[in-house]
Amino acid sequence: PALGIPASGGLTSYLRATPTIMLAGAMYGFIDVTVLALFPVYALRSGLEEGAIARLIAMAVLGSIAFQFAIGWLCDRVPPYRVLVGCTLGALGCALALPFTIGTTALVLIVLVLWGGAMGGFFTVGMVLMGQRYTGADLIGANGMFVVMFGLGSMVGPAAGGAAMDLWDTHGMVAVVALVCAAYLMALRFARSRRSLP
């Protein structure tokens, strides 16, 4: 099997063998669920109306769906590592841009569509990287661990974002997402230096 990891090694063996790939699942859960859960609160505190908020969330979801075709196409043509770095930079950039664009409908719409695409990219590129690293039963086990990491990110993200908004009214959620993206970017660079990512 790929990487020499037996399927009987347990789910955590996949996390130990390819932590950066598995963390992509956690990133997807962390950012996606945090944004969907807390953006309405963030937007209300920023002065947006409820109807506008619902439309903006819908556009973020649409971006998450629509961009996956382009991201998958890109993974076939350039190293997926670079695509994953691009998604991380995109998510980081959108998080930093949100406070400056929230008051302008057209600009915040663009930011949320791009943010949705970057968020969904963690899932798409993670799947591609797993397909390159694992086969057979190991691919099933790796996918299971990826889903577990998504669940962990989904639980931790909204709690961390909400606590941050209590400490730093309005912008705490954005700050947490930006910090997580920056930390994952450093993890990607470390993994690349160790040649553990293609």
Side-chain angles (χ1 to χ4, degrees), residues 40-98:
V41 179
Y42 177 86
L44 282 171
R45 292 182 181 181
S46 300
L48 272 65
E49 297 180 355
E50 293 179 4
I53 294 170
R55 290 191 292 272
L56 289 171
I57 292 174
M59 294 307 297
V61 173
L62 180 62
S64 180
I65 296 170
F67 270 76
Q68 302 323 301
F69 297 100
I71 290 171
W73 177 87
L74 202 57
C75 285
D76 288 335
R77 287 157 179 80
V78 300
Y81 162 80
R82 295 183 182 178
V83 183
L84 192 54
V85 168
C87 290
T88 309
L89 287 172
L92 174 60
C94 289
L96 296 176
L98 189 60

Side-chain angles (χ1 to χ4, degrees), residues 9-167:
L11 291 181
T12 56
S13 64
Y14 301 101
L15 177 60
R16 291 193 299 270
T18 50
T20 314
I21 296 174
M22 297 302 138
L23 283 173
M27 288 292 294
Y28 178 45
F30 189 102
I31 301 175
D32 186 63
V33 178
T34 299
V35 172
L36 292 180
L38 297 179
F39 178 77
V41 179
Y42 177 86
L44 282 171
R45 292 182 181 181
S46 300
L48 272 65
E49 297 180 355
E50 293 179 4
I53 294 170
R55 290 191 292 272
L56 289 171
I57 292 174
M59 294 307 297
V61 173
L62 180 62
S64 180
I65 296 170
F67 270 76
Q68 302 323 301
F69 297 100
I71 290 171
W73 177 87
L74 202 57
C75 285
D76 288 335
R77 287 157 179 80
V78 300
Y81 162 80
R82 295 183 182 178
V83 183
L84 192 54
V85 168
C87 290
T88 309
L89 287 172
L92 174 60
C94 289
L96 296 176
L98 189 60
F100 302 99
T101 58
I102 192 68
T104 307
T105 302
L107 291 178
V108 75
L109 179 65
I110 294 171
V111 168
L112 286 173
V113 170
L114 294 174
W115 209 0
M119 287 186 286
F122 289 111
F123 173 81
T124 301
V125 183
M127 292 290 111
V128 170
L129 288 169
M130 279 193 292
Q132 291 181 345
R133 290 303 186 93
Y134 298 103
T135 59
D138 281 330
L139 181 57
I140 297 171
N143 186 68
M145 189 66 226
F146 192 85
V147 172
V148 169
M149 295 300 290
F150 169 82
L152 289 174
S154 299
M155 289 190 295
V156 173
M165 289 181 79
D166 288 338
L167 293 173

